[in-house]
Amino acid sequence: MTAYVLACSGLRVLMLEAGRHYDPVAETPMFHLPRDAPLRGGGTRHKPFGFYDATVDGGWEVPGEPYSSAEGTDFRWWRARMLGGRTNHWGRISLRMGEYDFKPYSRDGLGFDWPLSYDDLAPWYDKTEALIGVYGSNEGLENTPNSSPGVLLPPPAPRAEELLTRHHCGDLGIPVIPAHLAILTRRLDAARIARTLWPGNALAQRVTEESMAARAACFYATPCGRGCSIKANFQTPTVLLPPALATGNLDIITDAMVREVTIDARGQATGVHYIDRNTRLDEYAGARVVVLAASACESARILLNSKSSLHPDGLGNGSGLVGKYIMDTVGAGVGGQIPALENMPPHNADGASAMHLYMPWWLYQEQARGQLDFARGYHIEFGGGRRMPGFGFMGGLAELTGGSYGQRLKDECRRYYGSFLWFDGRGEMIPNEDSFCEIDPEGVDRWGIPTLRFNWKWSSHELNQARHMQHTFADIIQAMGGRVTSDVHDDGARAIAAPGVIIHEVGGAMMGDDPRTSVLNQFCRSWEVDNLFVTDGGCFVSNADKNPTLSILALAWRASDYIVEQLRTRSL
């Protein structure tokens, strides 16, 4: 996002990408069938999300790029070494943080408040949603903000299993509303949106309009996780980089592993050293302004490795908070089988590759009254139904049928196909001083760059929240007349997903309004190095239950506008 905004604003930008070049249009396997892949497309250690997942040269394990965990920690660090990074992999779930989410400390005395409010960021949420294309609806629910009129695309019609779930959740008092996903349900009004986003900027209007006009609406053919050759979903190589390159102001160097930000005698950032992954040579790129957007923990690693006499503990780390207070999303899930969905006649179940409906957190008032034993909420994502069968299709069927072969097996597959649902919670983690990353004194990667060591501890709030998730999902399944097919734990430590597994890690360079207690100001600018910015998830102060990508993009756009203004007024 930063490269797009700065290039459209007329600034010359050099972007260094740690991974290889990647073109979703040419490389996506979006029309390949499971039967054409090894293991029917099933996941493996090196392709955990399946053979056709768009992620190349990445995952929780990257050859030659290790990391370590302190004793008692099992943090898993996802990296995507490809142009566009994690935007090629994510679930496209695009939820705004609400007014409560920006001031959590003021509400319950835990964690920290952000140095900005929802109203401060709302204009950039509107701009980001309009640019990338997000479907959804405005429901006016508590701490679930509306978008401005005309910003959202219409949501797709709910599927049968989603309608049934909504019906029964109504009896439980759980709201079920259209999801917000960054997928085009119709073509964008390119000319109007470009004029709105870039008033008075003919170059930005032209390149944005041309790029938007090249995007087609989703025709519901294939999972977004494979990449999208028609550019219907949001990933930066198809949505942000083409218009940025079209300005003529952006150059991209791939296979460039940044190891250090350099400074001059005045303490100003002068550029970066990076390792060319192909030649293994140490290269240098100078810059008037340096922006890190390498992902939260990778940016923290670069800062911690950028030591000098002025910054002996890492660049911009006078507060000692670089790498501290990292957070992931709390995750837990439960599956079920719903007899009411058995023997479903063939019908059109097409749609986006993820959910059309979801459940936002609904117990804010009960939480405020102290009726729950955890302080922050979660939303529910769910799915199932008659999707394209893949690896593991009908796994566990014998537990329902007692085992079968031949014609009876075929009949039972037809009976049960589409009757399984899965519910996942995505909850807020409160930052704590025991969850952080640091430089491992004994570790270097294949490029000779010191690696990270992770420390982690869930608080009782996250553990109790995960337990609450699983029991809620079991209640929903039983209300639907179904049977729970997975474990439901009373011990939150057994219910919660391992840290890093949800791939929502943020923090490590938190923003604030005091240099003594934060790394960045509210515009993602280092307190200690005026021309250094961090525009990824590192700036996060809390990690609300709202998936972070949309907020990262909006914050990055806001910070980029600030950079442009500072340069225009010669304040930077």
Side-chain angles (χ1 to χ4, degrees):
M1 178 62 87
T2 301
Y4 165 75
V5 175
L6 297 184
C8 284
S9 300
L11 301 179
R12 292 287 299 166
V13 180
L14 172 63
M15 190 175 90
L16 301 177
E17 163 57 52
R20 72 165 174 84
H21 179 75
Y22 170 68
D23 179 5
V25 174
E27 298 188 51
T28 176
M30 60 189 293
F31 299 115
H32 295 192
L33 295 174
R35 70 188 183 198
D36 300 324
L39 301 174
R40 298 279 176 173
T44 64
R45 176 180 174 185
H46 298 293
K47 293 286 287 186
F49 289 88
F51 183 79
Y52 290 133
D53 180 57
T55 305
V56 292
D57 295 341
W60 284 297
E61 297 181 30
V62 178
E65 297 185 29
Y67 58 93
S68 60
S69 295
E71 185 176 356
T73 296
D74 183 25
F75 186 84
R76 305 183 70 189
W77 187 23
W78 178 274
R79 277 82 39 93
R81 297 296 189 229
M82 58 195 298
L83 189 63
R86 295 171 181 227
T87 66
N88 299 302
H89 171 80
W90 71 308
R92 277 83 189 175
I93 299 168
S94 302
L95 305 175
R96 295 185 179 205
M97 291 168 54
E99 57 181 315
Y100 298 170
D101 302 321
F102 285 91
K103 303 297 177 186
Y105 177 81
S106 295
R107 283 179 52 79
D108 57 28
L110 299 170
F112 310 97
D113 284 342
W114 290 66
L116 68 162
S117 68
Y118 171 75
D119 289 340
D120 291 327
L121 191 60
W124 283 271
Y125 273 133
D126 278 346
K127 293 165 69 171
T128 301
E129 289 173 342
L131 174 66
I132 69 176
V134 175
Y135 74 66
S137 65
N138 291 325
E139 302 292 329
L141 298 179
E142 186 176 18
N143 200 40
T144 305
N146 290 342
S147 302
S148 292
V151 169
L152 295 175
L153 299 169
R159 300 179 176 95
E161 70 275 9
E162 293 173 322
L163 292 171
L164 184 67
T165 304
R166 184 170 67 181
H167 171 76
H168 289 284
C169 280
D171 297 335
L172 298 172
I174 301 174
V176 183
I177 64 175
H180 288 220
L181 265 69
I183 299 171
L184 303 188
T185 52
R186 69 182 182 196
R187 294 181 71 96
L188 294 167
D189 186 349
R192 178 186 64 80
I193 295 173
R195 288 195 303 272
T196 302
L197 295 179
W198 294 103
N201 186 333
L203 172 64
Q205 289 180 16
R206 176 178 62 79
V207 298
T208 301
E209 179 181 348
E210 290 174 354
S211 177
M212 281 187 175
R215 300 180 66 189
C218 181
F219 51 81
Y220 304 145
T222 183
C224 288
R226 299 182 177 195
C228 188
S229 65
I230 64 168
K231 309 177 182 180
N233 71 22
F234 170 72
Q235 48 192 135
T236 55
T238 55
V239 177
L240 297 182
L241 296 183
L245 288 166
T247 65
N249 292 325
L250 173 65
D251 293 300
I252 300 175
I253 299 177
T254 55
D255 295 298
M257 282 288 296
V258 173
R259 65 171 178 83
E260 179 184 4
V261 178
T262 57
I263 61 171
D264 60 18
R266 298 176 300 137
Q268 296 292 294
T270 54
V272 298
H273 278 287
Y274 66 93
I275 308 299
D276 184 315
R277 286 162 37 113
N278 295 315
T279 66
R280 293 180 178 258
L281 295 176
D282 190 309
E283 305 283 1
Y284 181 76
R288 183 177 174 187
V289 176
V290 174
V291 180
L292 298 180
S295 81
C297 297
E298 193 70 61
S299 289
R301 178 192 182 196
I302 294 170
L303 291 173
L304 291 170
N305 278 327
S306 303
K307 296 182 179 179
S308 64
S309 58
L310 292 176
H311 300 274
D313 298 320
L315 191 59
N317 194 26
S319 64
L321 294 176
V322 172
K324 303 296 176 60
Y325 297 112
I326 57 174
M327 300 158 276
D328 193 15
T329 290
V330 178
V334 169
Q337 192 273 330
I338 313 298
L341 294 172
E342 294 175 10
N343 293 312
M344 182 78 73
H347 63 281
N348 186 352
D350 282 354
S353 66
M355 59 205 183
H356 293 180
L357 301 179
Y358 87 114
M359 299 84 148
W361 179 238
W362 66 101
L363 297 175
Y364 288 108
Q365 294 308 311
E366 290 80 353
Q367 220 156 28
R369 290 194 294 268
Q371 296 173 341
L372 303 178
D373 60 358
F374 56 99
R376 307 285 170 77
Y378 60 88
H379 72 262
I380 305 172
E381 303 170 4
F382 69 106
R386 298 172 67 90
R387 307 291 183 92
M388 178 170 62
F391 184 82
F393 171 67
M394 288 295 171
L397 183 64
E399 296 180 7
L400 298 172
T401 65
S404 58
Y405 300 91
Q407 185 59 46
R408 184 183 164 209
L409 173 62
K410 294 179 180 178
D411 292 341
E412 288 174 342
C413 285
R414 293 188 177 97
R415 171 186 171 184
Y416 288 104
Y417 175 44
S419 69
F420 297 93
L421 295 180
W422 187 267
F423 297 84
D424 273 315
R426 295 290 180 261
E428 177 167 353
M429 175 185 177
I430 301 169
N432 68 70
E433 61 184 11
D434 294 315
S435 297
F436 62 93
C437 59
E438 59 189 340
I439 297 299
D440 185 340
E442 300 178 352
V444 294
D445 63 15
R446 69 163 70 177
W447 321 111
I449 304 173
T451 57
L452 286 180
R453 178 171 61 194
F454 290 92
N455 299 262
W456 198 269
K457 184 178 181 180
W458 297 115
S459 75
S460 61
H461 294 284
E462 288 84 43
L463 300 179
N464 294 341
Q465 183 193 78
R467 185 201 63 230
H468 191 276
M469 288 179 185
Q470 287 202 329
H471 283 270
T472 299
F473 306 155
D475 290 343
I476 295 173
I477 293 167
Q478 289 162 2
M480 297 175 73
R483 69 199 83 182
V484 175
T485 57
S486 61
D487 293 332
V488 177
H489 299 287
D490 290 324
D491 180 359
R494 300 186 64 189
I496 198 167
V501 165
I502 307 301
I503 319 179
H504 287 173
E505 69 269 17
V506 294
M510 60 186 277
M511 61 167 61
D513 54 15
D514 186 338
R516 297 169 300 178
T517 57
S518 57
V519 178
L520 309 171
N521 71 9
Q522 64 166 296
F523 298 103
C524 302
R525 184 184 196 175
S526 167
W527 287 113
E528 300 171 30
V529 184
D530 287 345
N531 61 340
L532 174 66
F533 293 78
V534 181
T535 62
D536 51 33
C539 68
F540 273 44
V541 176
S542 64
N543 192 14
D545 70 285
K546 322 298 172 51
N547 306 39
T549 301
L550 182 71
S551 294
I552 293 173
L553 291 168
L555 288 162
W557 195 331
R558 183 173 183 264
S560 302
D561 282 349
Y562 176 79
I563 294 172
V564 172
E565 179 62 17
Q566 293 294 298
L567 289 171
R568 186 187 68 79
T569 59
R570 299 185 180 277
S571 300
L572 185 62

